[in-house]
Coordinates of all heavy atoms in Angstrom, one line a residue:
K1 N 12.3 11.9 5.0 CA 11.6 11.5 6.3 C 11.8 9.9 6.6 O 11.7 9.5 7.7 CB 10.2 11.8 6.3 CG 9.9 13.3 6.3 CD 8.4 13.6 6.5 CE 8.1 15.1 6.5 NZ 6.8 15.4 6.6
Y2 N 11.9 9.1 5.5 CA 11.9 7.7 5.7 C 12.8 7.0 4.6 O 13.1 7.7 3.6 CB 10.5 7.1 5.8 CG 9.7 7.5 4.7 CD1 9.6 6.7 3.5 CD2 8.8 8.5 4.8 CE1 8.9 7.0 2.4 CE2 8.0 8.9 3.7 CZ 8.0 8.1 2.5 OH 7.3 8.4 1.4
H3 N 12.9 5.8 4.6 CA 13.5 4.9 3.6 C 12.4 3.9 3.0 O 11.6 3.5 3.7 CB 14.7 4.0 4.2 CG 15.9 4.6 4.5 ND1 16.2 5.7 5.3 CD2 17.1 4.5 3.8 CE1 17.4 6.1 5.3 NE2 18.0 5.4 4.4
L4 N 12.5 3.7 1.7 CA 11.7 2.8 1.1 C 12.6 1.5 0.9 O 13.6 1.6 0.3 CB 11.2 3.3 -0.3 CG 10.0 4.2 -0.3 CD1 9.7 4.6 -1.8 CD2 8.8 3.5 0.3
L5 N 12.1 0.4 1.5 CA 12.9 -0.9 1.4 C 12.1 -1.9 0.6 O 10.9 -2.0 0.9 CB 13.3 -1.3 2.6 CG 14.5 -0.7 3.4 CD1 14.5 0.8 3.6 CD2 14.8 -1.5 4.7
K6 N 12.8 -2.7 -0.2 CA 12.1 -3.8 -0.9 C 13.0 -5.0 -0.5 O 14.3 -5.1 -0.8 CB 12.2 -3.5 -2.4 CG 11.7 -4.7 -3.2 CD 10.3 -5.2 -3.0 CE 9.9 -6.3 -3.9 NZ 10.4 -7.6 -3.4
F7 N 12.5 -6.0 0.2 CA 13.1 -7.2 0.5 C 12.8 -8.3 -0.5 O 11.7 -8.3 -1.0 CB 12.7 -7.7 1.9 CG 13.1 -6.7 2.9 CD1 12.1 -5.9 3.6 CD2 14.4 -6.6 3.4 CE1 12.5 -5.0 4.6 CE2 14.7 -5.7 4.5 CZ 13.8 -4.9 5.0
H8 N 13.8 -9.1 -0.7 CA 13.5 -10.4 -1.5 C 12.5 -11.2 -0.7 O 12.4 -11.0 0.5 CB 14.8 -11.3 -1.6 CG 15.9 -10.6 -2.5 ND1 15.9 -10.7 -3.9 CD2 17.1 -9.9 -2.2 CE1 16.8 -10.0 -4.3 NE2 17.6 -9.6 -3.3
D9 N 11.7 -11.9 -1.4 CA 10.6 -12.8 -0.8 C 9.4 -11.9 -0.2 O 8.4 -12.5 0.2 CB 11.2 -13.7 0.4 CG 12.2 -14.6 -0.2 OD1 12.1 -15.0 -1.3 OD2 13.1 -14.9 0.8
I10 N 9.4 -10.7 -0.2 CA 8.3 -9.8 0.1 C 7.9 -9.2 -1.3 O 8.5 -8.1 -1.7 CB 8.6 -8.7 1.1 CG1 9.1 -9.3 2.3 CG2 7.3 -7.9 1.4 CD1 8.1 -10.0 3.2
D11 N 7.0 -9.8 -1.9 CA 6.6 -9.4 -3.4 C 5.3 -8.9 -3.6 O 4.9 -8.7 -4.8 CB 7.1 -10.5 -4.3 CG 6.5 -11.8 -3.9 OD1 5.5 -11.9 -3.1 OD2 6.9 -12.9 -4.6
D12 N 4.5 -8.7 -2.6 CA 3.2 -8.1 -2.8 C 2.8 -7.3 -1.5 O 3.4 -7.4 -0.5 CB 2.0 -9.2 -3.2 CG 1.8 -10.2 -2.0 OD1 1.8 -9.8 -0.8 OD2 1.7 -11.4 -2.4
R13 N 1.7 -6.6 -1.6 CA 1.3 -5.7 -0.6 C 0.8 -6.5 0.7 O 1.1 -6.0 1.8 CB 0.2 -4.8 -1.0 CG -0.2 -3.7 0.0 CD -1.2 -2.7 -0.8 NE -1.6 -1.7 0.3 CZ -1.0 -0.6 0.5 NH1 0.1 -0.4 -0.3 NH2 -1.4 0.3 1.3
D14 N 0.3 -7.6 0.5 CA -0.2 -8.4 1.7 C 1.1 -8.9 2.5 O 1.1 -8.8 3.8 CB -1.0 -9.6 1.2 CG -2.4 -9.2 0.7 OD1 -2.9 -8.2 1.1 OD2 -3.0 -10.0 0.0
K15 N 2.1 -9.3 1.9 CA 3.3 -9.8 2.5 C 3.9 -8.6 3.3 O 4.5 -8.7 4.4 CB 4.2 -10.4 1.6 CG 3.8 -11.8 1.2 CD 4.9 -12.5 0.2 CE 4.3 -13.8 -0.1 NZ 5.2 -14.5 -1.1
A16 N 3.9 -7.5 2.6 CA 4.5 -6.2 3.1 C 3.7 -5.9 4.4 O 4.3 -5.4 5.4 CB 4.6 -5.1 2.1
F17 N 2.4 -5.9 4.4 CA 1.6 -5.5 5.4 C 1.8 -6.4 6.6 O 1.9 -5.9 7.7 CB 0.1 -5.5 5.0 CG -0.8 -5.1 6.1 CD1 -1.0 -3.8 6.3 CD2 -1.5 -6.0 6.9 CE1 -1.8 -3.2 7.1 CE2 -2.4 -5.4 7.8 CZ -2.5 -4.0 8.0
N18 N 2.2 -7.6 6.4 CA 2.5 -8.6 7.5 C 3.7 -8.2 8.4 O 3.9 -8.6 9.5 CB 2.6 -10.0 7.0 CG 1.3 -10.6 6.6 OD1 0.3 -10.1 7.0 ND2 1.4 -11.6 5.7
I19 N 4.7 -7.4 7.8 CA 5.8 -7.0 8.6 C 5.7 -5.6 9.1 O 6.7 -5.2 9.7 CB 7.1 -7.2 7.7 CG1 7.1 -6.4 6.5 CG2 7.3 -8.7 7.4 CD1 8.4 -6.4 5.7
C20 N 4.6 -5.0 8.8 CA 4.5 -3.6 9.3 C 4.3 -3.5 10.8 O 3.9 -4.5 11.5 CB 3.4 -2.9 8.6 SG 3.6 -2.5 6.9
D21 N 4.6 -2.3 11.3 CA 4.5 -2.0 12.7 C 5.5 -2.9 13.5 O 5.2 -3.2 14.7 CB 3.1 -2.1 13.2 CG 2.9 -1.3 14.5 OD1 3.6 -0.2 14.6 OD2 2.0 -1.8 15.4
K22 N 6.7 -3.3 12.9 CA 7.6 -4.1 13.6 C 9.0 -3.4 13.6 O 9.2 -2.6 12.7 CB 7.7 -5.5 13.0 CG 6.4 -6.3 13.1 CD 6.7 -7.7 12.6 CE 5.4 -8.5 12.7 NZ 4.7 -8.5 13.9
K23 N 9.8 -3.6 14.5 CA 11.2 -3.0 14.5 C 12.0 -3.8 13.5 O 11.8 -5.0 13.4 CB 11.7 -3.2 15.9 CG 11.2 -2.2 16.9 CD 11.9 -2.2 18.2 CE 11.3 -1.3 19.2 NZ 12.1 -1.3 20.5
L24 N 12.9 -3.0 12.9 CA 13.9 -3.6 12.0 C 15.3 -3.6 12.7 O 15.7 -2.6 13.3 CB 14.0 -2.7 10.7 CG 14.7 -3.3 9.6 CD1 14.2 -4.5 9.0 CD2 14.8 -2.2 8.4
Y25 N 15.8 -4.8 12.6 CA 17.2 -5.0 13.3 C 18.3 -5.4 12.3 O 18.0 -5.8 11.2 CB 17.1 -6.1 14.2 CG 16.2 -6.0 15.5 CD1 14.8 -6.1 15.2 CD2 16.6 -5.5 16.7 CE1 13.9 -6.0 16.4 CE2 15.7 -5.4 17.7 CZ 14.4 -5.6 17.5 OH 13.4 -5.6 18.5
V26 N 19.5 -5.1 12.6 CA 20.7 -5.6 12.0 C 21.6 -6.2 13.0 O 21.4 -5.9 14.2 CB 21.5 -4.5 11.2 CG1 20.6 -4.0 10.0 CG2 21.9 -3.4 12.1
L27 N 22.5 -7.0 12.7 CA 23.5 -7.6 13.5 C 24.5 -6.5 13.9 O 25.1 -5.8 13.1 CB 24.1 -8.9 13.0 CG 23.1 -10.0 12.8 CD1 23.9 -11.2 12.2 CD2 22.7 -10.4 14.2
R28 N 25.0 -6.5 15.2 CA 26.0 -5.7 15.6 C 27.3 -5.8 14.8 O 27.8 -4.7 14.4 CB 26.3 -6.0 17.1 CG 27.5 -5.1 17.7 CD 27.7 -5.5 19.2 NE 26.5 -5.4 20.0 CZ 26.1 -4.3 20.6 NH1 26.8 -3.1 20.4 NH2 25.0 -4.3 21.3

């Protein structure tokens, strides 16, 4: 149903929570 992603510089739950409910983009 979904992907689990782990980004560099996002290393705890609080930082992860700060990017939630936002769209994820890539460059064309």
